[in-house]
Amino acid sequence: MEMQGSASLPTYIRKCMVCIMSRASSQLAFFLCGCYMAALGVHAGEHYVADHHKAGYYVAAVYEHQSILSPNPLALTSRKEALELMNQNLDIYEQQVMTAAQKGVQIIVFPEDGIHGFNFTRTSIYPFLDFMPSPQLVKWNPCLEPQRFNDTEVLQRLSCMALKGEMFLVANLGTKQPCHSSDPGCPNDGRYQFNTDVVFSSNGTLVDRYRKHNLYFEAAVDAPLKVDHIIFDTPFAGKVGIFTCFDILFFNPAIQLLRDSEVKHIVYPAAWMNQLPLLAAIQIQSAFAIAFGINFLAANIHHPSLGMTGSGIYTPLKSFWHHDMESSKGHLIIAQVARNPQGLVGTENATGKMDPSHSKFLKILAGDPYCEKDAQEVHCDAATKWNMNAPPTFYSEMMYDNFTLVPVWGKEGYLRVCANGLCCYLLYQRPTLSKELYALGVFDGLHTVHGTYYVQVCALVKCGGLGFDTCGQEITEATGIFEFHLWGNFSTSYIFPLFLTSGMTLETPDQLGWENGHYFLRKSRLSSGLVTAALYGRLYERD
């Protein structure tokens, strides 16, 4: 990507601009970015490129794309006009593929809706749709066999990019498939319309396609009658799974794919609107990688005015992410990724000397009295017996759900809050107090706004102000530093650790796991103020 005014920079900076954006490890993680961030620019890229295909690693890229949108997506248009618009976006894709190819990238992921845009009707999207033969039935290289099927211009361009860049390419487009009235699922207009991810190999062959199952208010397209469970093979990473955007919150296909223990990598096109404090794009993407111990390659669309930004290459221990509500430009992230990702250290194999807060946590869970020493007296609380000076319980709306909360006051403490059978606990210490209100909240129920799904949530959040009614508001800045254990008696094993710190930055938990029937998250040494630390449990069977 050519930069404004880059000619005046030293050659080595222009040649290789590198950013550091991982806080998860003391080893600094370098990764190449599509744009230069002055505050983070480091002259280190040459070592990276020389070493990019070292054994056991591959080089991945995701592109957060500021798409050129149709000025009126509801208007009817011709195929010719639709292709003119889509080719403008495909020109940008091609530039990114060429940039990535110079860095030795082996797979690149582009976002959902990046080529054609969104907010269409079923009729107005039709000229934007490519015909899609089934890759299971037809072996086809669109770049080398362009005349084989009609209405496949977008597939042809993507195939040629993969071939020219010599990399696997994942992109999202709208596709159509004619159907017969004898098919009971066939829509009245005689065709299926799908939100489709396609995968091309490095020689341009169409490897596979995934049709989105969990649609998010997408009236223009159909959900396939049977869920696609798509896993494709790569020479550099083994088996890779694929799903799209809203799918991340549901069992099928996301969780089902990971039942194959050989799937250690997911590619994920998205057009995700951020919703704080629990579901910013980078939050849920990172949480998915950590929860399942996998690599997660996520490309989100870039439209800050719609709250859409947040992409990254996430591993269980390190994340390379991009979240930018200011810039109107796309952004390329390139990172070296381990073929076999290493997970967090769980309780069963944790080594080293136990710190006092962890032994206190284990004692509480074991039901031993937890004692605090005052000047003269010793106060003991058994895990089941709570002191009479417990802070007040209050209610506030968070993520459109009615949370039950308690304020987190003082420099240290041990709190409990319960709702509907889920109890959440917090054992915390704060080196210094900030003039901010934090609260521990619980929700155990059916979420019904912007989708219907059952969640169990334990969340430590910074409130928007000092009033209880501000807890749950969307905020991005905080100064409060905590060392803490957060845990709950969850009735699901599908729990996502959501972690967000000041300025839309990420942290990795020190430890996660089950202890005595409770799932816990432990963290000390935050590098910036805490915005959210939450355990987000999904009970798929109660949806």
Side-chain angles (χ1 to χ4, degrees), residues 107-158:
I107 184 167
I108 189 167
V109 185
F110 290 101
E112 181 185 24
D113 298 336
I115 296 169
H116 57 278
F118 32 71
N119 295 334
F120 294 94
T121 65
R122 186 173 178 85
T123 311
S124 70
I125 201 174
Y126 184 69
F128 293 84
L129 306 179
D130 266 35
F131 169 70
M132 183 81 213
S134 168
Q136 279 79 32
L137 304 175
V138 177
K139 191 173 189 318
W140 178 42
N141 186 316
C143 189
L144 303 182
E145 306 167 86
Q147 306 306 321
R148 192 162 169 191
F149 302 101
N150 290 333
D151 289 343
T152 55
E153 293 90 338
V154 175
L155 290 168
Q156 288 167 37
R157 280 208 69 182
L158 293 169

Side-chain angles (χ1 to χ4, degrees), residues 66-80:
Q66 166 98 14
S67 51
I68 298 159
L69 298 171
S70 166
N72 184 1
L74 303 178
L76 300 183
T77 185
S78 65
R79 174 70 172 170
K80 182 172 175 285

Side-chain angles (χ1 to χ4, degrees), residues 142-450:
C143 189
L144 303 182
E145 306 167 86
Q147 306 306 321
R148 192 162 169 191
F149 302 101
N150 290 333
D151 289 343
T152 55
E153 293 90 338
V154 175
L155 290 168
Q156 288 167 37
R157 280 208 69 182
L158 293 169
S159 165
C160 291
M161 283 179 217
L163 177 63
K164 195 172 165 190
E166 297 181 38
M167 68 184 72
F168 272 66
L169 183 148
V170 179
N172 174 274
L173 72 159
T175 64
K176 59 187 177 183
Q177 187 185 321
C179 54
H180 199 270
S181 54
S182 60
D183 172 355
C186 185
N188 295 336
D189 52 17
R191 62 180 183 264
Y192 290 109
Q193 300 185 171
F194 296 117
N195 174 337
T196 306
D197 298 335
V198 285
V199 182
F200 293 95
S201 73
S202 54
N203 65 10
T205 301
L206 180 61
V207 173
D208 222 324
R209 61 103 166 87
Y210 165 71
R211 298 165 302 178
K212 188 177 180 184
H213 178 61
N214 299 287
L215 300 176
Y216 187 79
F217 304 101
E218 297 170 65
V221 292
D222 306 296
L225 300 178
K226 188 168 162 286
V227 185
D228 292 339
H229 291 104
I230 303 300
I231 296 169
F232 59 94
D233 278 303
T234 64
F236 47 84
K239 289 184 173 184
V240 180
I242 183 168
F243 53 85
T244 310
C245 204
F246 202 38
D247 285 328
I248 199 170
L249 293 178
F250 298 91
F251 187 84
N252 260 317
I255 310 301
Q256 189 67 44
L257 286 178
L258 293 167
R259 293 199 155 175
D260 181 336
S261 60
E262 289 181 33
V263 176
K264 299 286 184 197
H265 315 265
I266 294 288
V267 289
Y268 176 72
W272 186 278
M273 287 184 203
N274 290 301
Q275 198 189 347
L276 292 165
L278 300 180
L279 289 180
I282 61 171
Q283 239 178 335
I284 188 68
Q285 293 162 8
S286 164
F288 201 92
I290 294 168
F292 291 102
I294 58 162
N295 295 326
F296 197 77
L297 281 51
N300 196 11
I301 204 89
H302 187 78
H303 288 289
S305 63
L306 302 172
M308 300 167 111
T309 179
S311 305
I313 296 172
Y314 305 87
T315 81
L317 298 179
K318 270 185 207 162
S319 292
F320 313 91
W321 75 90
H322 175 74
H323 176 104
D324 185 351
M325 289 292 285
E326 308 297 320
S327 166
S328 58
K329 287 194 170 75
H331 190 90
L332 183 68
I333 301 172
I334 300 175
Q336 187 170 269
V337 187
R339 183 182 173 120
N340 292 306
Q342 279 202 300
L344 278 173
V345 178
T347 40
E348 61 290 336
N349 56 357
T351 53
K353 194 163 148 250
M354 195 178 292
D355 69 68
S357 74
H358 196 60
S359 54
K360 192 185 276 186
F361 159 72
L362 293 174
K363 276 182 183 160
I364 292 171
L365 271 186
D368 291 357
Y370 158 48
C371 301
E372 275 186 333
K373 201 168 178 188
D374 268 1
Q376 267 77 40
E377 298 177 70
V378 175
H379 305 282
C380 289
D381 279 328
T384 49
K385 185 174 156 229
W386 299 88
N387 69 35
M388 300 308 290
N389 301 327
T393 300
F394 64 96
Y395 302 93
S396 191
E397 191 178 274
M398 186 178 346
M399 310 288 297
Y400 303 104
D401 295 320
N402 190 23
F403 272 69
T404 306
L405 304 104
V406 289
V408 179
W409 288 333
K411 284 189 77 167
E412 59 178 22
Y414 168 38
L415 298 169
R416 174 181 80 159
V417 63
C418 302
N420 244 5
L422 175 65
C423 285
C424 302
Y425 305 82
L426 179 70
L427 180 66
Y428 69 95
Q429 283 183 308
R430 304 184 61 183
T432 52
L433 284 176
S434 58
K435 288 188 174 136
E436 296 165 306
L437 175 62
Y438 281 83
L440 172 67
V442 58
F443 179 76
D444 179 356
L446 194 65
H447 173 88
T448 56
V449 179
H450 303 156

